Amino acid sequence: MAKWTESKPDPDFSQVLAPDGTVDGDAPVDEETMLRMYETMKVSRRYDEKTLSLQRRGEISILSRSWGEEAIPVGSAAALEEGDWCFPTYRQTPSKLYWGGPLDRSLAGLMGHEPETIEEHLPVPDEEALPVNFSPVYIPLASNVTNAVGSAMADKFEDEDAVTLSYIGDGSSSQGDFYEALNFAGVFDAPAVTICHNNQWAISVPAHRQTAAETFAQKAEAAGIPHERVDGNDVFAVYEATKRAVDRARAGEGPTLLECVTYRVDDHNTADDAGAYRDESQQAFWAERDPVDRLEAYLRSADLIDDAAIEAIEEDADERVEAAVDRAREVPADDPARIFDNHLQSESWNERHQREELRAEQRGENPFTDFTGEGL
């Protein structure tokens, strides 16, 4: 199989933190926020390492990691405020970790447990509820953007002072849901910020083979929405651009699309082998722009961390992840019938039928005996 080569993106994007960790001027966030960003990235890296080992041992079936793209979810999440909403996909776990999202619940979900079972066995007390509202992680492509814009429109109609943030991949921006969501957001001035992870690859297809558009940001023009292009490996630039967009939305000035330019250093997921189709000659270029190393270099130069502090942060991340794995493993096996919980307000005939089919299968009988809703 011939291997694809990505087209290196034009560096016509905003940047604050240079690849060597230097900043021209002042950092856009205070010291506490910088350290929180760094600690979140470190926890995310440890989480990614641990979940990969769990997948290799068969405790997790499939996994998509945030490795190398952490600046986008962390920088953007830091621009939100209490009461705002976030609609992530599978590559933005660090956005929830930034706001204190429990690792054990995320791990239990990856282990295949139903949300209802997780809620019962790993409850979060009301006083520990996250200040930002997070939807469940979306797997279907682009559907989270339509839901996010709908949520933002509802907040606007109810005069709520909330902003909704959602994420999409560069490949997913070819989905109809994406265009429909942007169109509604533009027409109704929805307080919605959409972030496109342009990591150069839609599984095995490079960005320049997905679209004839010069940038993914310009896809917003057809919807009449402002757009901006940002260095996605620069956590400060992502924060600044998202903050501008969030402030615009909160002021009633409508939605924004941000394209964060990064690179998928990892396989698409654990069922993928990028080495089979991808020319890896650009790996060294992107390794020099690693978002964690860049922020760490800046924090060192500003005397905010040193070797001892980094070691302490890494030890804390390791302990938190290991403890979360232990708690997640204690969640008991799910009752398969829980799949029907909380889907509909009342029970329909076809749901009763499906429940009977499940029971028949659990008894070792042929479940496909009746498709009319009668006779079971």
Side-chain angles (χ1 to χ4, degrees):
M1 176 182 178
K3 293 186 177 181
W4 293 110
T5 300
E6 79 271 17
S7 179
K8 192 182 297 181
D10 293 332
D12 59 343
F13 40 64
S14 60
Q15 187 179 84
V16 177
L17 186 62
D20 63 0
T22 57
V23 170
D24 184 12
D26 296 327
V29 294
D30 58 29
E31 294 179 4
E32 181 182 354
T33 303
M34 279 187 254
L35 290 172
R36 184 171 165 184
M37 289 174 164
Y38 179 71
E39 290 166 1
T40 302
M41 289 183 178
K42 283 293 200 181
V43 171
S44 178
R45 286 270 163 114
R46 183 66 192 115
Y47 176 87
D48 275 350
E49 289 175 342
K50 187 65 182 182
T51 49
L52 181 62
S53 71
L54 294 174
Q55 194 276 333
R56 296 294 189 249
R57 292 205 297 264
E59 292 188 68
I60 292 173
S61 63
I62 192 168
L63 179 69
S64 290
R65 305 198 297 172
S66 306
W67 197 285
E69 300 181 36
E70 298 92 342
I72 300 172
V74 171
S76 55
L80 296 176
E81 297 179 6
E82 183 174 349
D84 287 341
W85 285 82
C86 186
F87 287 66
T89 72
Y90 42 77
R91 224 179 286 283
Q92 289 92 37
T93 300
S95 64
K96 195 169 185 178
L97 297 182
Y98 180 85
W99 283 100
L103 290 163
D104 50 7
R105 291 167 67 103
S106 294
L107 285 158
L110 289 174
M111 291 174 179
H113 291 293
E114 295 287 346
E116 291 81 3
T117 305
I118 296 172
E119 182 65 34
E120 284 181 7
H121 295 277
L122 296 172
V124 176
D126 290 343
E127 62 272 20
E128 296 179 15
L130 302 189
V132 169
N133 304 294
F134 282 83
S135 72
V137 171
Y138 282 75
I139 304 301
L141 302 180
S143 59
N144 63 314
V145 184
T146 53
N147 288 354
V149 169
S151 175
M153 290 169 60
D155 280 332
K156 181 180 180 181
F157 296 153
E158 296 292 330
D159 291 326
E160 297 285 346
D161 185 34
V163 175
T164 300
L165 174 67
S166 62
Y167 303 90
I168 189 170
D170 49 294
S172 303
S173 72
S174 298
Q175 295 285 321
D177 292 33
F178 171 71
Y179 293 101
E180 291 156 11
L182 289 195
N183 189 59
F184 265 73
V187 169
F188 292 98
D189 280 335
V193 179
T194 307
I195 291 184
C196 175
H197 270 245
N198 176 8
N199 68 12
Q200 315 293 321
W201 290 89
I203 308 183
S204 59
V205 180
H208 69 279
R209 300 288 295 186
Q210 300 173 45
T211 178
E214 292 184 8
T215 70
F216 289 92
Q218 70 179 210
K219 292 186 174 186
E221 291 186 8
I225 293 177
H227 54 84
E228 192 171 342
R229 208 157 180 255
V230 183
D231 182 344
N233 283 17
D234 176 354
V235 70
F236 291 163
V238 174
Y239 169 83
E240 271 197 342
T242 310
K243 186 70 167 58
R244 282 193 293 272
V246 167
D247 288 347
R248 283 189 68 253
R250 210 182 304 280
E253 298 175 16
T256 303
L257 173 66
L258 302 176
E259 175 189 350
C260 295
V261 182
T262 182
Y263 182 71
R264 200 193 76 209
V265 298
D266 204 0
D267 295 329
H268 173 68
N269 58 34
T270 48
D272 178 40
D273 176 12
Y277 56 79
R278 187 166 73 174
D279 179 350
E280 304 285 14
S281 61
Q282 293 297 318
Q283 285 282 9
F285 173 84
W286 289 100
E288 293 174 355
R289 288 154 179 76
D290 180 85
V292 181
D293 292 345
R294 284 166 80 165
L295 180 57
E296 183 175 298
Y298 176 78
L299 295 175
R300 280 182 181 275
S301 68
D303 292 328
L304 294 176
I305 56 171
D306 54 20
D307 288 344
I310 292 171
E311 183 177 353
I313 289 170
E314 290 176 344
E315 287 181 0
D316 178 66
D318 190 53
E319 290 173 3
R320 288 174 58 189
V321 171
E322 291 297 331
V325 170
D326 291 341
R327 292 194 296 274
R329 283 172 170 157
E330 292 175 0
V331 176
D334 301 76
D335 177 354
R338 300 218 70 170
I339 196 173
F340 298 107
D341 290 356
N342 302 316
H343 285 185
L344 297 171
Q345 188 173 18
S346 59
E347 189 180 59
S348 61
W349 73 265
N350 54 338
E351 183 179 330
R352 286 195 300 276
H353 188 192
Q354 290 169 6
R355 284 180 181 275
E356 289 300 328
E357 288 183 333
L358 175 61
R359 293 188 187 105
E361 184 170 0
Q362 289 177 307
R363 291 194 298 266
E365 302 170 0
N366 177 13
F368 304 110
T369 56
D370 187 337
F371 290 95
T372 66
E374 298 176 354
L376 281 177

